[in-house]
Amino acid sequence: MTRDETAAAAAAKPAKAAKPAKPAKAAKPAGRSSGDPLRPADYIGSDEEAPAKPARTARADTAGADDAPTAAKLNPLEWVRFFWRQLTSMRTALVLLLLLALAAVPGSLVPQRSADPNGVIQYQQQNPELSKVLDALQVFDTYTSFWFSAIYLLLFVSLIGCIIPRTTHHLKALRTKPPTTPARLSRLAAHLQTTADATPETAIDEAAKLLKRQGYRVERYDRRGRVSVSAERGYLRETGNLVFHTGLLLILLLVAVGGGFIYTGEKLLVQGQSFTNTLSSYDTWSPGRFFDESQLNPYSLRLDGFDDKYSVDKLTGVSHPEDYTAKVSTRSLDGTWTKQEIKVNEPLAVGGTQVYLLGNGYAPVLKVTDADGNVVFDDAVPFRSQDSNLKGLGVLKVPDGLKKQAGFIGFFYPTPVETTTGGFESVYPGTSSSSLVSLQMYVGDLGLDTGAPVNAYDLDLDKLTQVAGRDSDTDTLQMRLGEKATLPEGLGTIEFTGIKRYIGVSIHHDPVQGYVLALAVISILGLLISLFIPRRRVWVAATTGEDGGAVLEYAALARGDDPRLDDAVLDIEKQLAKRLRARAREAGDGAAS
């Protein structure tokens, strides 16, 4: 045939029927792809679900180009679910717990308004510029600041979102039977194979009893000519973990809610004076948001005396305190006075409160008389300590009895020494007959008749005129113990008649601290359990050997690191062999008898 005839004959042949299309393969279940074991099968770039490549064209700019795999985009709901999973992970909870501990550090470095308002005022006076920055950042209110509260709430939510699903899963796991014995035990981390002169059923029965005695939950499986027992223990590890985090959550809840019922107050108590636990008796007062005056348990506290002990450095001559002991008496409504003591870091528990010793100093007894010899004031005046040698700064106000209202401000020197400038300093915290009171005197309006609250330890000089002191014609009034000084303008006299001690106490009421302590102990116990109890699964399988005995396989698997896993398998093998030998002896003795 010619080429044209051949082409015509080929065109005349009937076309072959198209082959039926092969049915599409069922999609593989979600899991690891065969191409990349580190990616799930439904990943965009996997072999099973890879998008079709675009057809190649003759254009040079697209020849050989493939689409790069891209990750699926998340919708808003999926983003919310992603962030929720991150927030409720155990790793995030631990990070937030660490941040909370770091956020609490400023509260121990800087005085807090809720606990030491006077300390805050003093800190602001000493550091005016820095205080503005710290106040703007709410450092003086660390535990109620916005940043501390944010970390606190995030930790609270994180723990709730972590505990609830883990508890549900843990309760389900406790009701689930131990898993089926793996087909190939030799692939597990700890494996051992031995033989025993016993039937497989007998060996597995003894293995089940042995594992039960060791605290395992056991389940027997008989499959394909192999008898086995599956056992697991260590769920107490997860229980301890949940106890720890639940206890931590309850502590946070108690601190947040119970903090509203806390109150703290301060009182300066002079020797011989009594304090009654009522709202009006406190010098400073910081209640919680849920405070009710009915929470105050009525009791009385009296300072009977104060003992101090000092040591002196022989090289520098500087004195150092060794011990402070405040001797007090307490009394309830229907009781008698009971002798007690308060020491530094050893508070006094009374009336549902803790009484802490904050500071101490001297209160010189001053007696003021008018021009006619009538006593208008006779009491101890606290001079607040200014240094370690107890040099004190004090204020005396005499609103009535004299021709004019009078105010005194000055210093008390327990052991005075005159300096080169003509002033005085105290060189030792102890007192003597040479103890000195130095006062400047002012007359005018003390501001006590307006009805507005006035600080008893401060003297407002705006409406006062100095009549004795540096800026007046009369010298500063100086009196040693037992001496008397004449007041200017014929107003009368003032006498230094004695010395008493005073203490500053902080009275703290916290109704939840006992519960917090109990939860802290429980949480620590749960943490120890979760750290030291291993989570294990153990399998013992038995088949019939060639000699009619049992071929035993032991295997174990740990959840997490367990360096004693191999020892546990060896111990089970030894004890089981011992039990089988004992059972064989009992059977032999029974047959002989």
Side-chain angles (χ1 to χ4, degrees):
M1 287 186 177
T2 64
R3 182 180 300 178
D4 294 337
E5 291 174 344
T6 304
K13 290 183 180 179
K16 293 183 179 179
K19 294 183 180 180
K22 294 183 179 180
K25 293 183 179 179
K28 292 185 179 180
R32 302 296 183 187
S33 65
S34 58
D36 187 353
L38 298 180
R39 292 179 176 175
D42 56 351
Y43 185 76
I44 295 299
S46 64
D47 296 338
E48 290 82 354
E49 299 293 334
K53 297 181 181 179
R56 298 177 183 269
T57 64
R59 295 177 57 183
D61 56 345
T62 59
D66 295 334
D67 287 343
T70 58
K73 294 183 179 180
L74 301 180
N75 58 42
L77 181 60
E78 291 171 336
W79 275 113
V80 171
R81 186 181 296 113
F82 170 76
F83 284 118
W84 173 254
R85 289 177 178 174
Q86 296 300 316
L87 177 61
T88 56
S89 67
M90 187 60 64
R91 179 172 54 187
T92 302
L94 293 175
V95 171
L96 289 173
L97 186 61
L98 177 61
L99 288 178
L100 189 69
L102 293 176
V105 171
S108 60
L109 299 178
V110 177
Q112 301 295 296
R113 284 194 176 94
S114 59
D116 188 10
N118 294 328
V120 174
I121 296 174
Q122 184 177 2
Y123 188 91
Q124 290 175 338
Q125 293 174 349
Q126 296 174 351
N127 307 276
E129 298 299 328
L130 179 60
S131 297
K132 295 179 181 178
V133 179
L134 297 180
D135 204 9
L137 296 176
Q138 301 181 357
V139 177
F140 295 116
D141 302 285
T142 295
Y143 306 111
T144 57
S145 62
F146 67 92
W147 43 273
F148 189 88
S149 300
I151 299 175
Y152 195 93
L153 292 176
L154 285 175
L155 177 59
F156 196 82
V157 173
S158 178
L159 288 174
I160 292 177
C162 178
I163 290 173
I164 292 178
R166 289 185 63 173
T167 302
T168 304
H169 181 271
H170 183 55
L171 293 176
K172 182 184 292 185
L174 291 176
R175 297 191 300 268
T176 304
K177 294 180 180 180
T180 307
T181 305
R184 298 181 180 180
L185 295 177
S186 58
R187 293 185 175 183
L188 299 183
H191 177 262
L192 181 64
Q193 182 172 331
T194 62
T195 59
D197 189 11
T199 62
E201 290 76 9
T202 301
I204 294 304
D205 288 342
E206 291 296 327
K209 294 177 183 179
L210 173 62
L211 292 172
K212 280 185 177 180
R213 289 186 59 184
Q214 293 185 353
Y216 287 88
R217 296 189 307 149
V218 300
E219 186 70 21
R220 180 167 171 165
Y221 295 99
D222 301 343
R223 295 181 180 178
R224 298 178 181 178
R226 185 179 68 165
V227 186
S228 65
V229 60
S230 177
E232 61 181 355
R233 75 173 184 184
Y235 280 95
L236 195 59
R237 180 190 185 97
E238 180 67 9
T239 303
N241 201 350
L242 291 174
V243 167
F244 167 70
H245 288 92
T246 303
L248 183 60
L249 178 64
L250 293 177
I251 289 175
L252 294 176
L253 181 63
L254 278 178
V255 171
V257 177
F261 298 95
I262 294 174
Y263 65 81
T264 301
E266 294 182 1
K267 177 65 178 179
L268 191 148
L269 198 59
V270 179
Q271 184 177 352
Q273 292 183 356
S274 298
F275 160 79
T276 303
N277 190 32
T278 58
L279 193 59
S280 59
S281 299
Y282 285 92
D283 294 334
T284 61
W285 177 255
S286 300
R289 62 179 65 90
F290 305 129
F291 167 76
D292 186 356
E293 194 171 351
S294 61
Q295 298 177 27
L296 293 174
N297 295 327
Y299 65 86
S300 297
L301 177 67
R302 183 182 68 202
L303 177 62
D304 298 328
F306 188 84
D307 295 335
D308 51 16
K309 184 178 180 181
Y310 294 90
S311 62
V312 179
D313 192 325
K314 296 181 179 180
L315 296 178
T316 62
V318 178
S319 59
H320 302 282
E322 292 186 355
D323 187 36
Y324 291 137
T325 303
K327 298 183 179 298
V328 300
S329 297
T330 59
R331 182 179 65 180
S332 59
L333 284 178
D334 54 351
T336 58
W337 289 102
T338 303
K339 300 292 184 181
Q340 304 275 7
E341 288 186 352
I342 310 176
K343 289 178 172 289
V344 179
N345 297 327
E346 295 182 17
L348 171 65
V350 55
T353 65
Q354 298 287 325
V355 182
Y356 296 87
L357 180 62
L358 293 183
N360 66 90
Y362 291 100
V365 180
L366 301 177
K367 180 180 178 181
V368 180
T369 59
D370 61 10
D372 299 329
N374 299 316
V375 178
V376 297
F377 181 88
D378 188 5
D379 202 355
V381 180
F383 279 66
R384 292 170 295 169
S385 301
Q386 304 297 302
D387 55 28
S388 60
N389 289 323
L390 299 187
K391 181 181 82 171
L393 172 64
V395 170
L396 169 61
K397 298 178 183 181
V398 184
D400 302 311
L402 300 178
K403 295 179 181 179
K404 298 179 180 180
Q405 291 188 359
F408 302 84
I409 183 170
F411 292 95
F412 170 71
Y413 305 94
T415 307
V417 172
E418 189 171 0
T419 63
T420 56
T421 59
F424 291 89
E425 288 294 338
S426 179
V427 295
Y428 185 73
T431 59
S432 66
S433 59
S434 63
S435 297
L436 176 68
V437 172
S438 175
L439 297 174
Q440 299 183 46
M441 182 178 176
Y442 298 82
V443 295
D445 185 6
L446 296 176
L448 302 178
D449 300 328
T450 61
V454 178
N455 189 346
Y457 305 108
D458 189 23
L459 189 63
D460 187 1
L461 304 180
D462 292 340
K463 298 181 180 180
L464 298 177
T465 301
Q466 188 177 41
V467 294
R470 293 176 301 178
D471 300 329
S472 67
D473 296 334
T474 304
D475 293 336
T476 301
L477 306 177
Q478 295 181 354
M479 300 163 288
R480 297 187 184 272
L481 184 60
E483 294 181 349
K484 181 187 297 186
T486 302
L487 301 180
E489 300 183 1
L491 295 177
T493 61
I494 183 170
E495 185 178 0
F496 179 16
T497 61
I499 301 174
K500 292 185 177 181
R501 297 302 300 261
Y502 78 82
I503 61 172
V505 295
S506 175
I507 301 174
H508 185 70
H509 172 71
D510 187 356
V512 300
Q513 62 180 356
Y515 301 102
V516 171
L517 176 61
L519 287 173
V521 173
I522 293 173
S523 299
I524 293 175
L525 291 177
L527 179 62
L528 294 176
I529 290 173
S530 67
L531 291 176
F532 295 107
I533 292 185
R535 175 83 176 272
R536 293 172 181 165
R537 284 177 177 171
V538 176
W539 293 274
V540 181
T543 56
T544 304
E546 296 179 356
D547 58 352
V551 178
L552 300 177
E553 275 191 283
Y554 304 84
L557 189 65
R559 184 171 184 176
D561 294 332
D562 188 353
R564 297 180 58 85
L565 190 63
D566 292 329
D567 296 337
V569 172
L570 290 173
D571 181 67
I572 292 173
E573 185 273 332
K574 291 179 181 179
Q575 294 194 39
L576 180 57
K578 183 178 179 181
R579 293 174 68 94
L580 291 176
R581 288 194 297 268
R583 181 163 178 167
R585 286 195 300 269
E586 292 176 359
D589 294 342
S593 62

